[in-house]
Amino acid sequence: MATVTVPETARGLLRRPTATTGAWSWLTTVDHKKIGIMYGVAAFVFFIVGGLEALLIRTQLYRPDGTLLNADQYNQVFTMHGITMIFLFVMPMSSALFNYLIPLMIGARDVAFPRLNAYSFWVFALGGLFLYSSPFLGGAPNGGWFGYAPNSTTDPSIGMTFYALGLIITGIASTAGAVNLAVTVVNMRAPGMSLFRMPPFVWMGLVVQFLLVFSLPIITVALFQLLFDRRWDTAFFDPTRGGDPILWQHLFWLFGHPEVYILILPAFGIFSEVLPVFSRKPLFGYRFLVIATILIGAYSFTVWAHHMFTTGAVALPFFSIATFIIAVPTGIKFFNWIGTMWGGRLIFPTPMLWAVGFLYLFLTGGLTGVILGSPPLDFHLHDTYYVVAHFHGVLVGGSVFALFAAIYFWFPKMTGRRLSEALGKLHFWSWLIGFTLTFFVQYQLGADGMMRRYADYPSEAGWTTLNMISTAGAFLLAFGTLPFLAAVVLALRRPADQPADPWEANSLEWATASPPPHHNFDSIPPIRSERPVFDARMAGTEVPGT
Amino acid sequence: MRLPFAGQPQETRFFLLICGWAGALGIIYWFVSHEVAGTALLAGLALASGAISAWLIRARRLAAKRQPTPSGIADLATDRTDASGGGTAGVDRPFLDESGRLPDPTLAPFAVGLGVALVVLGPVFGVAPVAVGAVSLLWGASLWLRAARDELDAQEPGHDERRR
């Protein structure tokens, strides 16, 4: 299976690049696997930067009357932390996995539009660089990651202009990537792979792409309105001239709540792949899990205003009930995962540890979200550290734990090398303990009345001890990341020695060499279920690539 | 009782499900809140999903009239009635023949991406980024289109003639 050879005479303005190694090959690649790796590396760099910003925040709040940052710097740091972790780390890290794995999992050579795929990556990377050029060009965004009007429209610094433009640019990348991956899944599945034979990770990916396609236009419109208000004196969000600042909240959260599921559904897909492998059982209730995913996707567009209960401008009963209902399909998934583990022959290599840790942390993060769905409680807890703890429970305990599980699970496939189990376990336990210390105390801080975005607090507030515990936990998270970096460096210095299927796994990506060849597969096993590699192994037939 | 769309492919049923869901929710939402914007959005989602479903049903009918499903693909997935043979009736058949293509490396996506990112900055940061971005965008687009054309020509020798 060769690439198309184009005659020299037919080549364009410059000779077409042919390098297969070195920096130039990465700059010019259209291979989904290399693009996936580039997404992953870029996202991880942003993760480190966003993590350092988190340490600045926690250091500032370690003691009362913190002086490390002034109020304006603090606003910039927490805003950039939020933007970075959501738009420049979790989303692109999910893109990394989708790019690398979806074509392999569905038995395709590449994505439907390989050049568009590379374009998406470069636009994302340039958007991220643009956002991070803001501190050097007049000031970083300072209005929070949700940029509420009228603060975002009236702030005189240039930061929120960078915010609007940067998110428009990264939104272009996400839209192109979403269309590409959706078309790939719909059109390029291998023979025999019906929709209900797709691996759960691919299902989650497909629903995420639809959420992106439907939700990104909404925030793009809102960002253009914000830009117009800031630069050309329009009044979309100015109530003194007939505008409405609540409109921004509607538009932002109509995008923002599906965005929560854009961030968490990849995690659900990862655990739905990891848990069956290390439970040595098929996924319990595969069809229910898929249907629950579709329902979550649909429901996610109906709960946006639970972020706006305190505005007094939304129908409380409707959005409260809708918020309770959306917990049901997520609960179904929990039963899927517990049922998968129940009675299984469990083993606990590092990816499985992250998966089990996720069950514990995401459950607490999710349940505290249901509490916030009750308007009377939300009125009390809105914009407090309780909310901060809740969404970090979902996004760190959910998405970030999943992404680490995915890296430990698929690293052998991507590189032919396995990450150290000892360092991986040190990494996991540091994070589990660090996370618990950092965020569980924040529930109490919120209940005690500490509001989010406070740059400092007085000593008589009684919040000092809990803040000190939280900051200690944040530093444990930071130092706990070092074993992971060491494991990656050590693994990459070793020769590739991993077989095609080191975990005895289920889906098609394990039916080709580690790392896969440029064309992905020489042949694939027959697809008769959602576990073709498992089926082939059980039938005693040779699995291609193994 | 057999539902009227039970025999449709999963893709069609998927969009029909979204259509029904958004429509039903839109009605409930209107009677609970009497709020126009949300109702309009839900109605829009229902209409868009319904339109896609209708298009898929129509396309399937037309395709069935034109030609039967290739037996080579259908045979690979006969043990479940919902097994469509992968993709949309076998548009992509990577392992039944070797004719698929993998594009060459190219600088075009980077150049177009850089161009788009710079042009977007123009309205705020002036003409300079627009000018640089436009050059990059046009050069990248030119590379992109040439690469696509050349690959098509290399795959289908007669294509160039037909194009002329």
Side-chain angles (χ1 to χ4, degrees):
Chain A
M1 202 172 305
T3 55
V4 173
T5 305
V6 178
E8 287 289 326
T9 50
R11 297 186 174 185
L13 205 58
L14 294 176
R15 287 170 64 90
R16 193 162 301 159
T18 53
T20 55
T21 57
W24 189 247
S25 76
W26 292 94
L27 194 67
T28 59
T29 188
V30 291
D31 178 356
H32 73 99
K33 297 180 290 297
K34 288 181 116 172
I35 292 167
I37 289 170
M38 288 198 294
Y39 262 116
V41 171
F44 204 81
V45 169
F46 284 122
F47 172 65
I48 300 287
V49 176
L52 292 173
E53 288 160 350
L55 288 184
L56 283 175
I57 294 168
R58 287 308 326 163
T59 306
Q60 168 78 5
L61 297 176
Y62 178 66
R63 285 182 177 279
D65 306 314
T67 54
L68 179 69
L69 303 168
N70 63 36
D72 186 46
Q73 290 167 334
Y74 187 81
N75 290 345
Q76 294 182 39
V77 168
F78 77 67
T79 301
M80 286 306 290
H81 168 74
I83 292 170
T84 302
M85 290 307 195
I86 289 169
F87 296 105
L88 304 180
F89 170 56
V90 177
M91 280 180 77
M93 199 68 188
S94 300
S95 295
L97 294 169
F98 288 146
N99 263 288
Y100 197 99
L101 293 170
I102 281 181
L104 288 167
M105 284 181 160
I106 63 172
R109 288 190 183 94
D110 205 313
V111 293
F113 310 112
R115 280 180 284 259
L116 187 67
N117 200 25
Y119 162 82
S120 299
F121 168 75
W122 288 114
V123 174
F124 146 70
L126 291 163
L129 288 176
F130 172 73
L131 277 165
Y132 266 96
S133 66
S134 59
F136 310 102
L137 296 173
N142 58 0
W145 81 279
F146 36 66
Y148 275 1
N151 285 346
S152 54
T153 52
T154 55
D155 180 72
S157 78
I158 200 169
M160 293 311 286
T161 303
F162 273 94
Y163 167 89
L165 282 171
L167 294 192
I168 288 169
I169 294 171
T170 54
I172 291 169
S174 296
T175 306
V179 170
N180 201 352
L181 285 170
V183 172
T184 302
V185 173
V186 172
N187 270 358
M188 298 182 69
R189 301 189 310 276
M193 185 171 282
S194 62
L195 282 177
F196 275 102
R197 290 177 182 171
M198 294 197 308
F201 183 75
V202 177
W203 258 112
M204 305 297 157
L206 182 61
V207 174
V208 165
Q209 308 321 315
F210 275 97
L211 292 183
L212 283 165
V213 168
F214 281 114
S215 66
L216 280 170
I218 302 166
I219 189 66
T220 305
V221 167
L223 289 166
F224 272 110
Q225 289 177 323
L226 172 62
L227 196 62
F228 273 59
D229 270 13
R230 286 183 60 81
R231 301 294 297 186
W232 292 290
D233 202 30
T234 55
F236 291 109
F237 307 119
D238 181 358
T240 63
R241 292 189 288 154
D244 184 0
I246 300 294
L247 173 64
W248 168 267
Q249 294 193 33
H250 276 295
L251 293 173
F252 185 87
W253 289 116
L254 193 50
F255 150 80
H257 206 80
E259 169 73 6
V260 172
Y261 292 95
I262 288 165
L263 300 173
I264 197 64
L265 284 180
F268 292 172
I270 290 163
F271 293 121
S272 302
E273 298 293 334
V274 170
L275 285 171
V277 171
F278 299 117
S279 301
R280 299 296 183 226
K281 275 180 68 188
L283 181 67
F284 176 74
Y286 165 81
R287 280 186 177 243
F288 279 98
L289 182 119
V290 169
I291 291 166
T293 304
I294 295 168
L295 286 175
I296 286 175
Y299 271 128
S300 71
F301 283 95
T302 65
V303 295
W304 79 91
H306 69 207
H307 298 269
M308 301 163 56
F309 282 160
T310 56
T311 61
V314 298
L316 297 181
F318 178 88
F319 288 104
S320 180
I321 292 168
T323 303
F324 293 145
I325 289 175
I326 201 170
V328 174
T330 310
I332 290 173
K333 287 177 189 295
F334 260 84
F335 284 112
N336 288 126
W337 296 322
I338 292 169
T340 302
M341 296 170 72
W342 191 274
R345 289 188 294 114
L346 303 180
I347 53 173
F348 290 95
T350 308
M352 184 64 163
L353 285 179
W354 287 97
V356 176
F358 157 85
L359 289 177
Y360 151 59
L361 296 176
F362 184 76
L363 186 65
T364 54
L367 286 178
T368 51
V370 178
I371 290 170
L372 290 169
S374 165
L377 291 171
D378 186 73
F379 288 148
H380 178 63
L381 296 167
H382 186 76
D383 268 349
T384 69
Y385 261 82
Y386 187 94
V387 176
V388 175
H390 154 65
F391 70 70
H392 280 87
V394 173
L395 291 180
V396 182
S399 296
V400 180
F401 267 58
L403 294 172
F404 279 125
I407 293 170
Y408 282 99
F409 187 59
W410 280 295
F411 196 84
K413 174 54 59 187
M414 294 176 180
T415 66
R417 300 160 175 90
R418 194 161 157 180
L419 293 169
S420 159
E421 278 291 305
L423 289 170
K425 288 189 164 97
L426 180 61
H427 178 202
F428 166 73
W429 286 109
S430 304
W431 267 65
L432 190 72
I433 297 167
F435 178 90
T436 306
L437 288 174
T438 306
F439 295 109
F440 275 42
V441 296
Q442 291 182 2
Y443 287 115
Q444 188 61 47
L445 279 170
D448 289 347
M450 181 167 172
M451 303 302 286
R452 64 194 295 194
R453 307 190 204 95
Y454 274 9
D456 57 41
Y457 54 92
S459 56
E460 55 269 25
W463 302 330
T464 308
T465 306
L466 293 180
N467 269 302
M468 291 172 80
I469 293 171
S470 184
T471 301
F475 275 88
L476 183 56
L477 288 174
F479 287 114
T481 310
L482 297 178
F484 169 71
L485 296 173
V488 171
V489 172
L490 290 173
L492 292 178
R493 291 176 67 175
R494 289 199 306 270
D497 61 354
Q498 289 296 295
D501 184 13
W503 306 114
E504 295 190 345
N506 298 325
S507 42
L508 273 183
E509 77 273 24
W510 305 104
T512 187
S514 302
H518 181 51
H519 55 279
N520 287 352
F521 297 95
D522 291 325
S523 61
I524 56 171
I527 299 166
R528 297 283 183 267
S529 76
E530 72 276 14
R531 299 192 299 161
V533 172
F534 173 85
D535 293 343
R537 202 165 51 240
M538 288 300 104
T541 55
E542 188 184 350
V543 180
T546 57
Chain B
M1 190 183 76
R2 188 176 163 80
L3 293 172
F5 50 82
Q8 293 295 328
Q10 287 161 339
E11 291 88 334
T12 311
R13 281 185 280 158
F14 172 76
F15 283 106
L16 281 169
L17 179 73
I18 295 179
C19 172
W21 172 254
L25 201 68
I27 293 166
I28 295 169
Y29 183 77
W30 171 251
F31 283 109
V32 171
S33 68
H34 294 286
E35 195 268 313
V36 178
T39 307
L41 284 167
L42 286 164
L45 179 60
L47 283 173
S49 309
I52 295 172
S53 309
W55 183 83
L56 285 171
I57 291 168
R58 182 173 171 273
R60 188 162 182 257
R61 282 187 186 151
L62 289 175
K65 277 183 193 165
R66 258 188 256 120
Q67 61 179 63
T69 307
S71 60
I73 299 167
D75 289 348
L76 283 171
T78 52
D79 54 349
R80 276 194 195 170
T81 53
D82 61 2
S84 66
T88 48
V91 168
D92 183 72
R93 296 178 292 167
F95 304 103
L96 296 182
D97 62 55
E98 298 292 305
S99 63
R101 62 174 179 80
L102 290 169
D104 283 337
T106 170
L107 204 56
F110 175 74
V112 174
L114 181 65
V116 169
L118 289 172
V119 167
V120 170
L121 305 185
V124 177
F125 293 99
V127 179
V130 176
V132 177
V135 171
S136 180
L137 183 61
L138 291 173
W139 180 61
S142 152
L143 282 180
W144 194 313
L145 292 172
R146 281 164 185 263
R149 186 199 64 192
D150 294 347
E151 282 165 17
L152 207 53
D153 290 347
Q155 273 189 298
E156 301 178 50
H159 173 264
D160 200 34
E161 294 301 318
R162 287 201 304 274
R163 182 156 50 82
R164 288 200 190 96

